[in-house]
């Protein structure tokens, strides 16, 4: 049994999409965002409440406005707030044009 949130990007190099999987140890608020290497938020993939369990969210390499992003390194940031804990996990993946 895991006591904190856990996250993984299923394909570290991808074109045109990848899956971000994560485990929530308890019900709570979760936010999953994609950032470029300049620290700019590219896309919010998830922002809301979830029950405990395993989840998977796809990113299609597009920003919030639906525009395809350039190839390069991207950061997936998962923030979980639940059961009196706050976890922030970052994973990297490369979008190959």
């Amino acid at each position: 049994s895991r006591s904190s949130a856990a996250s993984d990007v299923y394909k570290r190099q991808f074109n045109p999409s990848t899956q971000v999987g994560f485990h929530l140890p308890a019900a709570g608020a979760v936010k999953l965002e994609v950032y470029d290497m300049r620290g700019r938020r590219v896309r919010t993939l998830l922002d809301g409440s979830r029950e405990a369990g395993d989840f998977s969210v796809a990113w299609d390499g597009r920003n919030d406005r639906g525009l395809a992003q350039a190839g390069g390194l991207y950061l997936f940031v998962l923030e979980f707030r639940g059961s009196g804990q706050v976890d922030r996990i970052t994973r990297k993946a490369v979008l190959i044009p």
Side-chain angles (χ1 to χ4, degrees), residues 8-21 32 34 45 56-62 74 76 92-95:
D8 196 18
V9 179
Y10 295 148
K11 291 192 285 184
R12 301 273 181 208
Q13 295 183 349
F14 63 97
N15 180 9
S17 66
T18 190
Q19 295 277 56
V20 181
L32 178 59
V34 181
L45 299 175
S56 179
V57 177
W59 183 46
D60 60 4
R62 297 181 179 275
Y74 287 87
F76 295 84
K92 299 175 189 176
V94 177
L95 173 59

Side-chain angles (χ1 to χ4, degrees), residues 28-31 46-50:
V30 63
K31 183 182 280 190
L46 181 62
D47 188 4
S49 296
R50 294 290 183 271

Side-chain angles (χ1 to χ4, degrees), residues 42-43 59-70 74 95:
V42 172
R43 183 139 179 210
W59 183 46
D60 60 4
R62 297 181 179 275
N63 67 14
D64 281 332
R65 295 177 291 164
L67 301 174
Q69 297 302 286
Y74 287 87
L95 173 59

